[in-house]
Amino acid sequence: MTAVSAADLRCILDDAAAEFRRLAEGTVELQRKADGSVVSCVDLGLDAFLRKRLTSLTAEPAWLSEESACDADRLAKPWAWVVDPLDGSGEFARGIPEFALSVGLVEHG
């Protein structure tokens, strides 16, 4: 596999920031997960956006995200994207500007 280009990744993350701003406009729907933590339509929208864009960068991409169902098949793949699309959802929901988009790429576990 060819290494992931820093320029490609930066472009995707810049686009994700624009998508965040779009999704966060106006009223944001909030829900509770089974564990009681907050999840918003912004979390879910960014998760879908990032999954589509990031998995296009790697061959046989695996995905592990706080907002997606866990797929154990990722353990057999050479590369896995590990994502929290809106790290700090609770702060975001309370209007506290202490949140981030967290993305990592793991090679062979």
Side-chain angles (χ1 to χ4, degrees):
M1 178 192 130
T2 307
V4 173
S5 155
D8 288 344
L9 186 55
R10 178 171 287 133
C11 180
I12 289 171
L13 295 177
D14 285 345
D15 290 349
E19 182 71 359
F20 166 81
R21 288 188 291 276
R22 186 187 73 73
L23 291 168
E25 286 180 7
T27 304
V28 174
E29 286 182 43
L30 300 174
Q31 301 171 10
R32 294 272 176 197
K33 296 184 204 178
D35 67 3
S37 62
V38 173
V39 66
S40 71
C41 58
V42 177
D43 293 86
L44 301 174
L46 284 174
D47 186 69
F49 175 87
L50 289 166
R51 185 174 194 156
K52 180 178 180 181
R53 296 287 302 276
L54 291 172
T55 58
S56 72
L57 295 178
T58 53
E60 297 185 66
W63 185 257
L64 177 62
S65 169
E66 186 173 344
E67 308 310 339
S68 301
C70 186
D71 181 1
D73 289 345
R74 77 181 184 288
L75 300 173
K77 299 205 176 177
W79 298 90
W81 289 101
V82 180
V83 175
D84 188 346
L86 185 54
D87 192 1
S89 298
E91 288 78 6
F92 171 75
R94 292 190 304 274
I96 300 169
E98 296 178 7
F99 48 85
L101 186 157
S102 298
V103 174
L105 180 59
V106 176
E107 179 183 14
H108 300 291

